[in-house]
């Protein structure tokens, strides 16, 4: 999943793709590099981010989604917590709702997927983007995140959204301490019990820069390393900025795993 932020303030690439033309060029680049789908966002959800009015968010994403849908066949995801933005995006050509609040921020969001047959990404977040990193704490982060996501999956299922249309995201960096992020990635396979594809959104996040020895990293190589580790832990979808580097690393791992090579005498 290639990240396309059409925002002026996203932490990694804010301001680069705010015009439709720039967004289309970036989309084409990511797809040529190996992205299977593109996630379009019009509101930054970085820690301490200020909320964006719905009309402004909608005006950022709709023209971009319309342009992408006209030119490319790959699925488009809308990264939003607002039902009005999600509806407008789906009407414009998106087919996936990626809601970092797991559809808790806007209760009307629960009514949106079925009307469009849309797929859904449910992300765990403790608090809201503006406050989520203010002293988060867990007794057992894997169990607590898994239980929350399990409840949201059951709720969506009761509304007619089947598990094959739901992906779950443990929410790296969304109200998590450094060690919580490590623990969630290390135990990613424990989310398989939910019966949904697991998505990991870790790319270039601040916990990488808080890792000893990586304080001055540009976060590219650590992000790719996490992608490879997450693949080996069973992740189905990797939400990344650096599509080319990630695709090449995953292709190498998959080629080795599929080779079936047996050493002499093995």
């Amino acid at each position: 999943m290639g990240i396309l932020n059409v925002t002026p303030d996203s932490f990694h690439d804010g301001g680069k793709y705010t015009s439709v033309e720039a967004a289309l060029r970036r989309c084409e680049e990511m797809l040529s590099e190996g992205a299977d789908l593109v996630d379009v966002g019009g509101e930054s959800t970085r820690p301490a981010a200020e909320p964006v009015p719905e009309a402004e968010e909608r005006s950022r994403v709709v023209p971009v989604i319309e342009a992408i849908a006209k030119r490319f066949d790959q699925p488009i995801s809308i990264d939003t917590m607002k039902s009005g933005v999600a509806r407008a995006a789906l009407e414009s050509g998106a087919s996936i709702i990626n809601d970092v609040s797991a559809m808790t921020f806007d209760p009307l969001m629960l009514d949106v997927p079925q009307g469009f047959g849309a797929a859904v990404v449910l992300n765990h977040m403790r608090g809201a983007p503006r406050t989520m990193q203010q002293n988060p704490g867990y007794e057992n982060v894997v169990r607590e995140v898994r239980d929350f996501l399990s409840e949201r999956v059951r709720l969506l299922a009761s509304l007619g959204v089947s598990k094959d249309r739901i992906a779950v995201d443990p929410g790296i960096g969304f109200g998590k301490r450094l060690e919580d992020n490590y623990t969630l990635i290390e135990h990613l396979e424990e989310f398989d019990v939910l019966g949904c594809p697991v998505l990991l959104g870790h790319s270039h996040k601040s916990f990488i820069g808080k890792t000893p020895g990586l304080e001055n990293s540009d976060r590219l190589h650590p992000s790719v390393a996490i992608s490879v580790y997450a693949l080996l832990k069973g992740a189905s979808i990797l939400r990344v900025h650096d599509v080319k580097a990630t695709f090449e690393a995953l292709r190498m791992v998959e080629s080795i795993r599929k080779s079936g090579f047996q050493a002499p005498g093995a």
Side-chain angles (χ1 to χ4, degrees):
M1 177 185 276
I3 299 169
L4 184 58
N5 289 319
V6 293
T7 56
D9 58 343
S10 290
F11 75 92
H12 178 62
D13 52 7
K16 290 185 177 181
Y17 312 116
T18 53
S19 73
V20 173
E21 294 75 16
L24 269 178
R25 286 195 298 271
R26 180 57 182 152
C27 180
E28 183 174 21
E29 182 179 38
M30 290 193 293
L31 294 176
S32 70
E33 291 172 346
D36 297 298
L37 63 159
V38 176
D39 189 45
V40 179
E43 178 181 47
S44 176
T45 53
R46 74 189 191 286
E50 293 294 328
V52 174
E54 180 176 317
E56 182 176 350
E57 184 181 348
R58 191 167 54 243
S59 70
R60 291 175 181 178
V61 299
V62 166
V64 171
I65 291 172
E66 288 177 340
I68 293 172
K70 286 179 182 178
R71 186 174 298 188
F72 305 108
D73 294 329
Q74 279 83 355
I76 304 167
S77 169
I78 175 62
D79 180 358
T80 186
M81 296 186 289
K82 302 181 182 74
S83 61
V85 175
R87 286 184 185 276
L90 294 172
E91 290 168 352
S92 301
S95 58
I96 304 165
I97 303 169
N98 179 14
D99 186 337
V100 298
S101 77
M103 299 189 166
T104 63
F105 174 81
D106 180 352
L108 296 178
M109 186 70 92
L110 290 168
D111 300 327
V112 177
Q114 276 300 77
F116 295 88
V120 174
V121 179
L122 298 173
N123 176 88
H124 177 274
M125 175 169 61
R126 177 69 61 86
R130 186 165 23 174
T131 60
M132 63 189 179
Q133 287 305 109
Q134 296 177 4
N135 300 314
Y138 302 86
E139 291 185 8
N140 184 316
V141 67
V142 174
R143 184 188 66 231
E144 291 173 51
V145 171
R146 188 181 58 214
D147 288 351
F148 169 83
L149 291 173
S150 177
E151 185 276 329
R152 301 307 291 176
V153 169
R154 285 197 298 270
L155 176 59
L156 273 180
S158 72
L159 297 172
V161 184
S162 56
K163 284 187 176 183
D164 61 353
R165 287 166 48 201
I166 303 172
V168 293
D169 181 346
I172 300 300
F174 283 93
K176 310 294 191 304
R177 299 165 297 185
L178 178 62
E179 61 269 27
D180 296 327
N181 294 314
Y182 291 159
T183 300
L184 288 166
I185 296 169
E186 174 62 22
H187 296 279
L188 205 58
E189 71 278 4
E190 294 193 27
F191 292 90
D192 291 344
V193 298
L194 301 181
C196 302
V198 176
L199 182 150
L200 194 70
H202 57 282
S203 181
H204 286 261
K205 288 189 173 178
S206 61
F207 82 102
I208 295 173
K210 295 175 183 176
T211 297
L214 299 179
E215 293 86 354
N216 298 316
S217 171
D218 65 2
R219 305 183 189 177
L220 166 59
H221 296 98
S223 294
V224 173
I226 296 167
S227 292
V228 170
Y229 198 73
L231 173 73
L232 298 175
K233 284 286 184 176
S236 298
I237 307 168
L238 299 164
R239 183 180 181 274
V240 301
H241 298 88
D242 308 293
V243 173
K244 185 176 187 293
T246 305
F247 177 84
E248 290 183 356
L250 299 184
R251 176 57 58 87
M252 191 72 253
V253 172
E254 290 172 350
S255 296
I256 293 169
R257 297 177 80 186
K258 291 177 181 178
S259 70
F261 176 75
Q262 291 288 325

